[in-house]
Amino acid sequence: MATLRALPRITPRAILRPQCLYRRPNSSLAAPDASNPKLQQIDASKLTITKTTTPKELIPHDQLIFGRNFSDHMLSLEWTSTHGWLAPNITPYQNLSLDPATCVLHYAFEAFEGMKAYKDKSGNVRLFRPDMNMARLNKSVARIALPTFDGPAFIELIKQFCQLDSRFIPSARGYSLYLRPNMIGTQRTLGVGPPGSALLYLIASPVGPYYPTGFKAISLEATTYAVRAWPGGVGASKLGANYAPCIVPQMQAAARGFQQNLWLFEEVVDGRKEEYVTEVGTMNLFACIKDKKTGQPELVTAPLDGTILEGVVRDSILSLARERLVPEGWKVSERRFHMREVCEAAEEGRLMEVFGSGTAAVVSPVRSIGYNGGLISCGLPEDKEAGPVTQRMKDWIEGIQYGEEEGHPWSWKI
């Protein structure tokens, strides 16, 4: 049972009492073994809660801007290589205190997640597939030598956090409380090696619909002069270090009239250079293409080959498509496809729709793609902002998120 205590200052212990760890140059790059029974695991029963004495005013729904305003509290847990996970805390939202030599500031020991809490028509708070977010965060932190953690235990803490700050969850359809779990390495050191301490924390921001006035189809610029991810890299991990390098190419695309980059990966296959479709901006990408010979419609997205982020919405779309579109005659594929295939389908009238998917927007329709000096039409009529598959996926997923589809296992009622 959570207890109340006086307000602490969030200063990671490893910064106050830095450890002097010697590591051989050829030490293993494996993540710290947080499952080691000798180390403490996350214990939700030890949660302490310090409520704010200065509650914030709620922002009117129509004035919400993504990521600008935050709820009253934050959730935090510290980890050290000698003790494991220390007792969790919920405290008023406040600044972190970090030594200038903290390893996250120099070597990007940081991974995060994006998820949301929703209110249904009865006022119940719901989470959407939080187990997948925890699994992905564990994969991400393991890739950069940060400690893994017990996902179900952290979900229990998130539930208590959401109950405490539930007044920040708007009740209208399309609105939600965006949750940002984040883990950083906190050891004070300029040495390069697995951090001896870490901080896992969660903050929350009330957000409105990604498209407040309805869908607005976007235009993409096919991009090869910059590469988002490559084989053997960290494209499948949700690391802050993957996002900052994409900003300049996005700015360059915007200067040419495009809203986002369509990230391509060049590869020579049988003596021919192909440009494979990977992701769009910070989203996964789907295309609806009719088969050239049979006319069968196919929903296709790039496979999880290590360069593609394992999107929760991506997985949801694939599952719903296999359940609901396949009986209608659709084929659903996770396969590599290149721009030559997209161009041919567009020229022959077989490119039906293209859309991105992600937590922020659920789905984002694409009207056109700038490629090799030309503009590829993605099948949308001039008077439409979204295709039928894009619209159905949005309706299906939001119906589950807001509890309108009764008893669906993806919607976790708190």
Side-chain angles (χ1 to χ4, degrees), residues 335-410:
R335 64 173 177 82
R336 302 185 79 193
F337 64 107
H338 43 62
M339 283 303 296
R340 182 165 54 87
E341 178 181 355
V342 173
C343 290
E344 289 178 358
E347 291 170 358
E348 297 169 3
R350 297 183 292 105
L351 184 59
M352 303 164 65
E353 300 178 45
V354 177
F355 61 91
S357 70
T359 299
V362 181
V363 288
S364 181
V366 176
R367 181 171 298 282
S368 59
I369 301 172
Y371 178 64
N372 283 349
L375 202 61
I376 302 171
S377 174
C378 293
L380 277 181
E382 288 297 324
D383 61 340
K384 300 290 184 181
E385 294 296 336
V389 173
T390 306
Q391 185 66 58
R392 293 172 81 185
M393 286 299 172
K394 178 180 184 294
D395 293 341
W396 286 340
I397 292 175
E398 286 188 349
I400 296 170
Q401 290 172 334
Y402 289 92
E404 296 167 5
E405 191 167 322
E406 291 289 340
H408 200 287
W410 292 350

Side-chain angles (χ1 to χ4, degrees), residues 3-9 48-51 89-92:
T3 57
L4 300 179
R5 70 173 186 177
L7 174 63
R9 178 176 176 80
T48 59
I49 299 176
T50 305
K51 294 184 178 180
N89 303 287
I90 291 179
T91 62

Side-chain angles (χ1 to χ4, degrees), residues 88-163:
N89 303 287
I90 291 179
T91 62
Y93 186 97
Q94 60 190 276
N95 294 338
L96 300 179
S97 178
L98 297 176
D99 188 284
T102 304
C103 60
V104 65
L105 303 177
H106 299 268
Y107 306 121
F109 287 105
E110 184 270 346
F112 69 96
E113 267 303 317
M115 51 196 296
K116 290 180 177 179
Y118 309 83
K119 269 187 183 173
D120 61 25
K121 292 180 179 179
S122 300
N124 300 306
V125 177
R126 294 174 177 270
L127 299 175
F128 181 71
R129 309 190 76 181
D131 52 328
M132 290 199 67
N133 293 101
M134 297 301 101
R136 186 171 63 181
L137 183 54
N138 266 316
K139 289 182 180 179
S140 296
V141 298
R143 181 63 180 84
I144 55 172
L146 287 174
T148 56
F149 59 94
D150 181 353
F154 192 56
I155 291 174
E156 288 305 310
L157 295 172
I158 293 175
K159 289 179 179 179
Q160 296 197 51
F161 174 89
C162 290
Q163 288 177 325

Side-chain angles (χ1 to χ4, degrees), residues 156-215:
E156 288 305 310
L157 295 172
I158 293 175
K159 289 179 179 179
Q160 296 197 51
F161 174 89
C162 290
Q163 288 177 325
L164 181 62
D165 274 0
S166 62
R167 72 186 185 94
F168 287 91
I169 308 176
S171 56
R173 175 73 175 262
Y175 292 82
S176 59
L177 184 65
Y178 182 83
L179 305 174
R180 172 55 63 88
N182 192 33
M183 189 188 295
I184 60 174
T186 56
Q187 185 179 356
R188 188 185 72 175
T189 178
L190 296 182
V192 181
S197 61
L199 177 69
L200 172 60
Y201 66 94
L202 178 141
I203 55 177
S205 175
V207 295
Y210 193 81
Y211 297 102
T213 59
F215 270 133

Side-chain angles (χ1 to χ4, degrees), residues 16-54:
L16 291 175
R17 296 186 291 275
Q19 300 170 344
C20 184
L21 300 178
Y22 171 75
R23 297 184 180 85
R24 291 176 295 177
N26 296 323
S27 60
S28 172
L29 291 178
D33 184 9
S35 63
N36 186 337
K38 295 181 181 179
L39 297 178
Q40 295 174 167
Q41 305 302 307
I42 293 178
D43 187 346
S45 69
K46 293 182 178 179
L47 173 67
T48 59
I49 299 176
T50 305
K51 294 184 178 180
T52 184
T53 58
T54 55

Side-chain angles (χ1 to χ4, degrees), residues 274-295:
E274 298 288 10
E275 296 166 321
Y276 287 94
V277 175
T278 61
E279 295 191 351
V280 50
T282 59
M283 298 181 287
N284 296 119
L285 185 87
F286 287 83
C288 300
I289 302 174
K290 287 184 180 179
D291 184 86
K292 191 170 187 175
K293 295 181 179 179
T294 66

